[in-house]
Amino acid sequence: MYSLKFDVVVFILTIKLNSVLSSKEDSSYWFDLGKNDINNALNKPVIQGTAKNVILFVADGMGITTTTAARIYSATESGYLAFEQFPHVGILKTYNADKLVPDSASTATALFSGIKTNYKTSGVDSSVKLNDCEASLKPEARIDGLIKWAQDAGKSTGFVTTTRVTHATPSALYAHIPNRGWECESTIPDDSKKCKDIARQLVEDEPGKNINVIMGGGRQCLQSNTKDLPGDPVDTWACFSKDGRDLIKDWIQDKKGRDKTYAVVQNNEQLNSVKSSTEFVLGIFANGHMAMDYARNKSPKGMPSLSNMTQKAIELLHNNPEGYLLVVEGGLIDYAHHRGHARQALDETVSFSDAIRVALEKTDPQETLIVVTSDHSHSLVFTGYLSRGSNVLDVAQESVLDKIPYTSLLYGTGGPNNYQYSSINGTVSRADPSINDTRDYQYSQQAVVLTDEVTHGGSDVLVYAKGPMAHLFHTVHEQTYVAYVISYAAKMGQFKNNSQRIIVPSMFLVLNMLLMGISI
């Protein structure tokens, strides 16, 4: 009842804030807003119980600039994305073991396993360098994480992603690999063939083969020699299997051999028809990554949205009396940023927010911990002096020096489409964005430095939480902290046998105990 009252207050405040542009923002408005915020802070709900269920949402590449811009894009500057009014917020440091600016495999390993590792490695500790197959095979270098901890605790497990199910972020849930690019056999060098590729680890090994719900793209890594399909081309950037494998068939045989109920689904119609009592579901909806939400085929034969997959996953997993762990990745935010298409990235962020809204509607906050975060940021910049009420994708203003307009959103680095400079009569000139439709999904925002693509950012990211033990997120944390909070809240993994309360004696008490000769 207490939490319900708090949610009602938040809902009323949201309505008031969303009407800010049509109201008079005088001093009394801001004073009332401040009082309401203080009242909410004083009455912030703290849920101390055990988290029966955990849903971890990871937005790949969603730095704070992306969140801010997506909020304005989807509503107004005074609105909120679904997760931005969670009662508990912290900050995560995203560096990995050998780089200040990380990649998604290393950061996912930190999030899911609580251990920082090296650039582009997944599910192994920092003793394993990039491409070192021999080192990755050592048992002491291979680390377990949330999926294994949850399975050992008797919980159902699942993950859904808009990327390939073998891609960097999901790979850290189940694989141990010295190169995130080894998604199938064709990218593994001849001298490293003793290392099993990521796709095979998902289907053949623990904990991958015990994951109840798997949804995303990546057919070309699971089955050999896949072909272009209408609206679903082969991903030329990704691993393409040629060894004759059919890991989807192998997945089916494993479930049959264990006398488990199962379903393989490949479109909206098939996904919707899956009974909630089905024990194992494999949804592979694309050769490579799935289509972005604005471009996907929404018909019965088309691809589901992240919200569709999240809803079905919760329905499938919630039957276990021991609870479940679900990881949801909005992976195409990063994909859009890498190609310098800001609108696509913002649109995917809104779709990610929509999936979180579904999870909030489908779960009980008293028994489900929901954590929302990102693996890393991007070099997106929000600048200029755009007027309130403007579209965040528009031109901000004209440069005082070169008299050429620039957009409110820019990139620090970018590919050829973003690097919009030319030399005219020996003078470097920047292209005028006002002659283009800067709101177009395919428009490439301008970048300062020419690279092969937009590169990651190294800034901190935020973590938002709601539910049991969500208040443990409260300050600046290492990214690894997420795995330990989830482990502690759900009584699994490192904290499976620990009591729910950790009592740490104060330094004063420790000194007195030592002086009294009491062992500690």
Side-chain angles (χ1 to χ4, degrees):
M1 179 62 69
Y2 180 81
S3 177
L4 180 60
K5 288 181 179 178
F6 177 81
D7 288 343
V8 170
V9 170
V10 169
F11 177 72
I12 294 171
L13 280 175
T14 302
I15 294 175
K16 291 174 66 177
L17 287 169
N18 283 334
S19 63
V20 65
L21 291 179
S22 61
S23 65
K24 184 179 179 182
E25 293 181 351
D26 56 12
S27 58
S28 62
Y29 167 82
W30 293 110
F31 178 58
D32 289 342
L33 182 62
K35 285 194 300 182
N36 285 327
D37 283 346
I38 289 174
N39 182 63
N40 289 336
L42 291 171
N43 293 283
K44 183 184 295 186
V46 173
I47 302 174
Q48 295 279 1
T50 300
K52 176 183 176 182
N53 312 310
V54 178
I55 306 178
L56 173 57
F57 285 89
V58 181
D60 199 323
M62 186 186 73
I64 187 64
T65 306
T66 303
T67 307
T68 303
R71 178 197 312 139
I72 300 169
Y73 170 80
S74 66
T76 69
E77 59 276 9
S78 56
Y80 294 93
L81 297 171
F83 51 91
E84 290 189 297
Q85 290 187 304
F86 279 19
H88 304 284
V89 180
I91 299 174
L92 303 180
K93 297 185 283 186
T94 63
Y95 68 91
N96 55 221
D98 60 346
K99 300 278 188 181
L100 287 177
V101 179
D103 84 298
S104 295
S106 57
T107 50
T109 300
L111 284 171
F112 302 154
S113 300
I115 296 174
K116 293 212 176 210
T117 189
N118 294 318
Y119 184 68
K120 292 190 174 181
T121 64
S122 189
V124 292
D125 68 18
S126 60
S127 68
V128 179
K129 306 301 181 184
L130 182 63
N131 295 320
D132 191 342
C133 175
E134 290 287 347
S136 73
L137 295 174
K138 297 178 180 178
E140 62 271 23
R142 300 160 77 90
I143 53 180
D144 293 327
L146 295 175
I147 290 287
K148 183 66 163 58
W149 300 343
Q151 290 176 357
D152 288 348
K155 297 182 183 295
S156 296
T157 56
F159 73 87
V160 301
T161 177
T162 48
T163 69
R164 300 181 296 275
V165 295
T166 52
H167 198 236
T169 301
S171 74
L173 289 168
Y174 58 83
H176 311 282
I177 203 82
N179 188 322
R180 55 174 276 185
W182 296 358
E183 295 184 52
C184 66
E185 87 295 338
S186 65
T187 52
I188 300 180
D190 290 340
D191 62 357
S192 299
K193 291 298 185 183
K194 65 174 63 176
C195 273
K196 185 181 290 190
D197 61 64
I198 295 171
R200 286 184 58 201
Q201 290 190 49
L202 173 61
V203 173
E204 298 175 358
D205 297 349
E206 294 185 355
K209 68 178 184 179
N210 295 325
I211 298 174
N212 300 90
V213 176
I214 301 168
M215 295 186 197
R219 188 182 299 110
Q220 66 191 57
C221 297
L222 298 168
Q223 293 178 320
S224 288
N225 303 312
T226 55
K227 307 295 183 182
D228 288 338
L229 297 172
D232 180 24
V234 167
D235 187 347
T236 57
W237 282 57
C239 194
F240 184 84
S241 177
K242 302 175 183 178
D243 66 354
R245 70 176 59 188
D246 189 342
L247 292 178
I248 294 178
K249 181 179 179 181
D250 293 346
W251 183 90
I252 292 173
Q253 292 302 316
D254 174 71
K255 305 308 173 276
K256 283 183 175 178
R258 291 196 271 165
D259 198 25
K260 302 293 185 182
T261 57
Y262 67 90
V264 173
V265 296
Q266 300 187 70
N267 56 41
N268 285 318
E269 183 177 49
Q270 293 175 357
L271 179 64
N272 292 334
S273 67
V274 175
K275 295 179 180 179
S276 60
S277 59
T278 307
E279 295 173 281
F280 287 87
V281 174
L282 177 63
I284 303 299
F285 304 104
N287 282 323
H289 293 328
M290 294 176 65
M292 292 189 182
D293 198 58
Y294 82 93
R296 70 183 175 89
N297 176 0
K298 300 176 177 63
S299 74
K301 301 301 181 182
M303 299 180 192
S305 67
L306 189 63
S307 293
N308 298 149
M309 294 189 291
T310 299
Q311 177 170 330
K312 180 58 74 171
I314 293 172
E315 292 172 356
L316 290 163
L317 295 171
H318 90 284
N319 294 317
N320 187 339
E322 298 299 321
Y324 62 82
L325 169 79
L326 172 63
V327 177
V328 179
E329 184 200 15
L332 299 183
I333 301 169
D334 179 72
Y335 181 92
H337 275 320
H338 275 307
R339 286 146 187 81
H341 299 309
R343 182 173 184 182
Q344 293 179 10
L346 302 189
D347 204 68
E348 285 299 301
T349 303
V350 174
S351 297
F352 177 74
S353 175
D354 291 341
I356 295 166
R357 203 177 306 279
V358 167
L360 292 171
E361 294 170 354
K362 299 280 291 183
T363 57
D364 180 352
Q366 296 298 316
E367 65 177 19
T368 302
L369 171 64
I370 298 181
V371 179
V372 179
T373 190
S374 176
D375 51 356
H376 58 78
S377 64
H378 257 280
S379 68
L380 184 69
V381 177
F382 182 18
T383 189
Y385 299 98
L386 202 62
S387 297
R388 287 188 65 179
S390 301
N391 189 306
V392 73
L393 296 164
D394 286 350
V395 167
Q397 63 184 39
E398 183 180 281
S399 169
V400 174
L401 297 180
D402 64 14
K403 306 302 180 183
I404 300 174
Y406 61 93
T407 54
S408 184
L409 298 180
L410 303 167
Y411 285 101
T413 59
N417 291 332
N418 304 100
Y419 191 73
Q420 299 172 22
Y421 293 86
S422 60
S423 178
I424 302 175
N425 297 325
T427 301
V428 175
S429 178
R430 180 171 52 85
D432 182 352
S434 66
I435 65 176
N436 302 114
D437 180 4
T438 59
R439 300 185 186 184
D440 190 273
Y441 282 103
Q442 301 300 322
Y443 177 73
S444 299
Q445 276 70 21
Q446 294 177 348
V448 177
V449 177
L450 176 63
T451 55
D452 60 333
E453 63 179 9
V454 176
T455 54
H456 291 177
S459 59
D460 299 342
V461 298
L462 298 185
V463 55
Y464 312 79
K466 183 176 184 177
M469 294 296 162
H471 58 282
L472 295 180
F473 294 105
H474 62 102
T475 185
V476 179
H477 306 284
E478 292 289 353
Q479 193 168 39
T480 52
Y481 184 65
V482 173
Y484 300 120
V485 169
I486 292 174
S487 171
Y488 183 68
K491 288 188 176 180
M492 63 186 198
Q494 303 290 335
F495 295 101
K496 181 177 181 179
N497 298 317
N498 289 48
S499 65
Q500 198 59 271
R501 181 182 296 274
I502 296 178
I503 301 176
V504 181
S506 67
M507 184 59 67
F508 178 78
L509 179 60
V510 170
L511 289 174
N512 272 279
M513 292 171 70
L514 290 172
L515 289 172
M516 294 172 63
I518 300 175
S519 61
I520 58 174

